Amino acid sequence: MEKIVRYSEIFESFQGEAQPLGERVLFIRLSGCNLNCSFCDTKEKINIINEIDIDQLCDQISFYSTVVITGGEPLLQVDTITYLAILRPNITFYIETNGVLNPRGLIQLKNVNFNISPKPDAKYHIHPKFKNVEAKRKIYKFVIDPDEKVFLVNTELQDVIQQLPKRSIYFMPLTTSLDKQMLLEEHASVAKIARKYKVNFSPRLHILFDFQ
């Protein structure tokens, strides 16, 4: 197994969406992605490639109780992430993934959770291996247009949502502006859609309050 982790940045901040919302965590943003989504808000960052030895990274994260591994697409480096999680069993890991790639051995590790965000560019495909992850260790988050009419005509999205347990689904707003009033209105609109369809709602705190 390659012992080099390719990443764009490592930083402390609050988790801005989904789980664990509002908690102060260490973020590891890995380089690269298997998709090219038009609405991606990290395109420039994920093309930055820094390298660190996995044992060095293991030492660096040892003081944290919660680590969020995001991207890009973390599962492009699934073996490396698995090794890291095995070495640090006392740390709770959250893997932010688009759900397309095979999570492989990660699904066996009880200290690893998944924030799965299916993407329209992949027709909302979710790798079948995620079915083997126990319910309490995974959630599905979807970026939703504030206009309910757009949501209703997206049949691919409708189909995948109907196949998932509603208690595990989170709707988040597709943010189209950095204007604070507009952001609040978009959050309110998507919250109403989530309530109507009896799923969970997640704000996007890092966008609302402009923190990393």
Coordinates of all heavy atoms in Angstrom, one line a residue, residues 34-40 43 100 118-125 156:
N34 N -13.4 12.1 -8.8 CA -13.8 11.3 -9.9 C -14.9 11.9 -10.7 O -15.3 11.4 -11.8 CB -14.2 9.9 -9.4 CG -15.3 10.0 -8.4 OD1 -15.3 10.8 -7.6 ND2 -16.3 9.0 -8.5
L35 N -15.4 13.0 -10.3 CA -16.5 13.7 -11.0 C -16.1 15.2 -11.3 O -15.0 15.6 -10.8 CB -17.8 13.8 -10.1 CG -18.4 12.4 -9.8 CD1 -19.6 12.6 -8.9 CD2 -18.7 11.6 -11.0
N36 N -16.9 15.8 -12.1 CA -16.6 17.2 -12.5 C -17.9 18.0 -12.4 O -18.4 18.5 -13.4 CB -15.9 17.3 -13.9 CG -15.5 18.7 -14.2 OD1 -15.2 19.5 -13.3 ND2 -15.5 19.0 -15.5
C37 N -18.4 18.2 -11.2 CA -19.7 18.8 -11.0 C -19.7 20.3 -11.3 O -18.8 21.0 -10.8 CB -20.3 18.5 -9.6 SG -20.4 16.8 -9.2
S38 N -20.7 20.8 -12.0 CA -20.7 22.2 -12.4 C -20.8 23.1 -11.2 O -20.3 24.2 -11.2 CB -21.8 22.4 -13.4 OG -23.1 22.1 -12.9
F39 N -21.5 22.6 -10.2 CA -21.8 23.5 -9.0 C -20.8 23.3 -7.9 O -20.9 23.8 -6.8 CB -23.2 23.2 -8.5 CG -23.5 21.8 -8.1 CD1 -23.1 21.3 -6.9 CD2 -24.1 20.9 -9.0 CE1 -23.3 20.0 -6.5 CE2 -24.3 19.6 -8.7 CZ -23.9 19.1 -7.4
C40 N -19.7 22.6 -8.2 CA -18.7 22.3 -7.1 C -18.1 23.6 -6.6 O -17.7 24.5 -7.4 CB -17.6 21.4 -7.7 SG -16.2 21.1 -6.5
K43 N -13.5 23.3 -6.5 CA -12.7 22.9 -7.7 C -11.3 23.3 -7.6 O -10.4 22.5 -8.0 CB -13.4 23.4 -9.0 CG -14.5 22.5 -9.5 CD -15.0 23.0 -10.9 CE -16.0 22.0 -11.4 NZ -16.5 22.4 -12.7
V100 N -20.0 7.2 -5.2 CA -19.9 6.4 -6.5 C -18.9 5.2 -6.3 O -19.1 4.1 -6.8 CB -19.4 7.3 -7.6 CG1 -19.1 6.5 -8.9 CG2 -20.5 8.3 -8.0
P118 N -24.9 12.0 -3.0 CA -25.0 11.6 -4.4 C -25.2 12.8 -5.3 O -25.8 13.8 -5.0 CB -26.3 10.8 -4.4 CG -26.4 10.3 -3.0 CD -25.9 11.4 -2.2
K119 N -24.6 12.7 -6.5 CA -24.5 13.9 -7.4 C -25.2 13.6 -8.7 O -25.2 12.5 -9.2 CB -23.0 14.2 -7.7 CG -22.2 14.6 -6.5 CD -22.6 15.9 -5.9 CE -21.7 16.4 -4.9 NZ -21.7 15.7 -3.6
P120 N -25.9 14.7 -9.2 CA -26.6 14.6 -10.5 C -25.6 14.2 -11.7 O -26.0 13.5 -12.6 CB -27.2 16.0 -10.7 CG -26.4 16.9 -9.8 CD -26.0 16.1 -8.7
D121 N -24.4 14.6 -11.6 CA -23.4 14.2 -12.7 C -23.2 12.7 -12.7 O -22.7 12.2 -13.8 CB -22.1 15.0 -12.4 CG -22.2 16.5 -12.6 OD1 -23.0 17.1 -11.9 OD2 -21.5 17.0 -13.5
A122 N -23.5 12.0 -11.6 CA -23.3 10.6 -11.6 C -24.7 9.9 -11.6 O -24.8 8.7 -11.2 CB -22.5 10.1 -10.4
K123 N -25.8 10.7 -12.0 CA -27.1 10.2 -12.0 C -27.5 9.7 -10.6 O -28.3 8.7 -10.5 CB -27.3 9.1 -13.0 CG -27.1 9.6 -14.5 CD -27.4 8.5 -15.5 CE -27.0 9.0 -16.9 NZ -27.8 10.2 -17.3
Y124 N -27.0 10.3 -9.6 CA -27.2 10.0 -8.2 C -26.9 8.5 -7.8 O -27.5 7.9 -6.9 CB -28.7 10.3 -7.8 CG -29.1 11.7 -8.0 CD1 -29.7 12.2 -9.1 CD2 -28.7 12.7 -7.1 CE1 -30.0 13.5 -9.3 CE2 -29.0 14.0 -7.2 CZ -29.6 14.5 -8.4 OH -29.9 15.8 -8.5
H125 N -26.0 7.9 -8.5 CA -25.6 6.6 -8.3 C -24.9 6.4 -6.9 O -24.1 7.3 -6.5 CB -24.6 6.1 -9.4 CG -24.0 4.7 -9.1 ND1 -24.7 3.6 -9.2 CD2 -22.8 4.4 -8.6 CE1 -24.0 2.5 -8.9 NE2 -22.8 3.0 -8.5
E156 N -34.7 11.6 -11.6 CA -33.6 10.8 -11.1 C -33.5 10.9 -9.6 O -33.3 10.0 -8.8 CB -32.3 11.1 -11.8 CG -32.3 10.6 -13.2 CD -31.0 11.0 -13.9 OE1 -30.3 11.9 -13.4 OE2 -30.7 10.4 -15.0

